[in-house]
Structure formats: structure tokens, C-alpha cells
Amino acid sequence: MQESLRALLELQKTDQDLHELEQFKVDIPNQLETMETAQSEAETRLADQETKVADIEKDRRQHERDLEAAQEQVKKYQGQLYSVKTNKEYDALQAEIQAQKNRISELEDAILLLITEAETEQETLETIRGETESLIERFGEERTALESRLSAVDEDVAVKMDERKRMAMRVENQVLKVYDRIRRNLRGMTVVPLKKGACSGCFHVIPLQVIMQIRQGRRLISCESCGRILILEEGLEY
């Protein structure tokens, strides 16, 4: 029995390794998907900022065209002042000239605001672009490493499965059946040591008589609370 328990501990370690490898097959694709989502969001944020800067520049150019048109109108109306024949016509032209001058003042103020806004948003754009490029570069390296690790998982699993078969042959058949049954029903460790007189899997206190039976090592002893196979805290020397 003691030899079977020693082999069982080695088998349990291999099963833990297999569990970790199987978890990799789930975790790595999830990590890759998370990175893809984060990169997509970063690229969208960059594209939105580029559009914002372009829109401000577009508005500024339109304002400048409107400013030139207003200035041309002022020149046109001023030239017409010398050809009017009535005071009414003269006053009307003066009103148009003043309206265009007011328009020019408003456009000049708007253009100055757009220039300032464009400078601020351009700085933001450069920051976002730098962060996005850095993120893409980092994700590229991490993605390569994760994909390489994922491609090796199946091979590692196959190696561990062969190792498990060899270890299982060293365990008594009845003991192996109990172990496999418990492992299917429980998460985590199946074979656990006593800790201060209690099962280290569920912390149920083990009666002294049961501890003595574990120490004698004549048969397999399971925790009456969680069903885990119990071994001595000191190990399997006794």
C-alpha cells in the first residue's frame, strides 16, 4: 500500500501538470482574444482622434474661405460707394459693408479658436498614436509567444499522458480506481496530507483511531467529510 501511495503522489503531480496544460488551451485563446479586443479599441480610438483633427482642419479651411469671401464683398461694396446716386443706396451699402466686417471679425475669432483647438487635439493625437503603436508592438511580441506556447501544448499533453500511463501501472488497480473516481468528483488535490490532525483538503478533524490506521498503512483511508485520500503529515516513511 505504501508503494502505491508513493506512486499515487507522483501520479497526482502528473495529473496536476495535465490540468495546467489543458487550462492553457483555454486561457491562451482567451488572452489572444482579449489582446485583439484591446488592440481594436486602441485603433478605433486612434482613428476617431484622427477624424477629429481632420474635421477641425476642414472647419478651419472653410472658415478661411468664408473670410476671403467676406473680405472680397467688403472690397466690392466699397467700390460701389462711388457710383451710388442716392443717400438711401449709400446707406444700404454702408450697412452691407458693416455686416461683412462683423462677419469678418467673427470668422477671425473662430479661426483663432480652431487653430488653438487643432494644436491641442494634434498633441492628443500624437500621444494616442504613440500609445497605440507601443501597444501593437507589445501585443505582437506577446501574441507570438502565446501562439508558440499553444502550439506546443498538445505535444506536452501527449508526453504527460504517456508518463501518466507508466505511473498508473505502479499503483494497485483498486487504489487507482478510487483515486480516479475521487478526482472526477473533486476539484484540486485528491491525495492530501494531514495537517495538525485534520484533512488539509476540507479541514475536517480526523479521529485519532483513523490517524493510527493511516500510519499503519495497511489500507486506503479517505476523509469521511470530503472523500479525499489521506496520508500522514510527515509523509510516507512510517
Side-chain angles (χ1 to χ4, degrees):
M1 181 59 68
Q2 292 291 348
E3 183 60 33
S4 284
L5 286 176
R6 289 190 181 91
L8 203 58
L9 285 173
E10 295 179 15
L11 182 63
Q12 178 171 251
K13 176 62 171 65
T14 300
D15 282 336
Q16 289 174 317
D17 293 341
L18 279 168
H19 175 74
E20 290 178 3
L21 289 171
E22 291 297 336
Q23 194 61 45
F24 275 139
K25 296 172 70 172
V26 175
D27 292 343
I28 291 177
N30 288 341
Q31 291 180 55
L32 290 171
E33 183 178 353
T34 298
M35 284 192 291
E36 288 295 335
T37 300
Q39 180 171 326
S40 177
E41 291 174 350
E43 290 172 340
T44 298
R45 187 165 58 252
L46 175 60
D48 289 345
Q49 186 63 23
E50 288 174 337
T51 299
K52 187 174 185 179
V53 170
D55 287 344
I56 293 173
E57 181 63 21
K58 180 180 178 181
D59 288 345
R60 183 183 64 79
R61 289 196 300 268
Q62 183 60 53
H63 278 59
E64 289 175 344
R65 287 192 293 269
D66 292 343
L67 176 61
E68 290 178 1
Q71 291 170 336
E72 288 298 321
Q73 284 294 99
V74 170
K75 291 179 182 179
K76 175 183 175 182
Y77 291 144
Q78 287 176 336
Q80 291 176 353
L81 285 175
Y82 300 104
S83 60
V84 298
K85 297 179 180 180
T86 65
N87 288 336
K88 184 177 180 180
E89 292 177 341
Y90 183 86
D91 290 342
L93 282 174
Q94 286 286 20
E96 289 292 341
I97 290 171
Q98 187 57 50
Q100 291 300 320
K101 286 183 176 180
N102 292 339
R103 174 65 172 158
I104 288 170
S105 179
E106 291 173 357
L107 288 168
E108 288 175 339
D109 289 342
I111 289 170
L112 288 174
L113 288 174
L114 286 170
I115 291 174
T116 300
E117 185 180 1
E119 291 174 350
T120 300
E121 296 301 335
Q122 183 64 37
E123 290 177 0
T124 301
L125 173 60
E126 294 305 320
T127 298
I128 293 175
R129 179 178 287 117
E131 292 173 348
T132 302
E133 290 174 351
S134 176
L135 181 73
I136 291 173
E137 181 180 0
R138 177 165 60 85
F139 279 178
E141 295 173 355
E142 292 179 3
R143 188 178 294 110
T144 298
L146 286 171
E147 288 174 346
S148 176
R149 181 72 185 95
L150 184 60
S151 66
V153 167
D154 286 337
E155 182 179 344
D156 292 343
V157 168
V159 171
K160 282 293 179 182
M161 286 300 295
D162 287 341
E163 182 179 321
R164 187 186 195 280
K165 289 178 182 178
R166 293 194 303 271
M167 289 180 177
M169 294 174 64
R170 296 166 47 197
V171 182
E172 294 178 26
N173 188 52
Q174 189 59 37
V175 173
L176 183 61
K177 287 182 179 179
V178 173
Y179 168 80
D180 285 337
R181 175 178 55 79
I182 297 172
R183 188 168 61 88
R184 286 192 298 269
N185 295 332
L186 290 176
R187 292 182 179 180
M189 304 285 281
T190 303
V191 183
V192 297
L194 295 172
K195 293 291 184 181
K196 297 182 179 179
C199 169
S200 58
C202 69
F203 308 108
H204 176 73
V205 176
I206 306 301
L208 182 59
Q209 182 180 356
V210 176
I211 294 176
M212 293 301 297
Q213 292 174 348
I214 296 171
R215 185 176 295 277
Q216 290 170 1
R218 294 176 182 173
R219 63 185 182 88
L220 201 64
I221 304 295
S222 296
C223 173
E224 63 180 10
S225 176
C226 68
R228 290 179 172 88
I229 298 171
L230 298 172
I231 61 174
L232 292 176
E233 184 175 3
E234 300 87 346
L236 301 170
E237 292 84 355
Y238 298 98

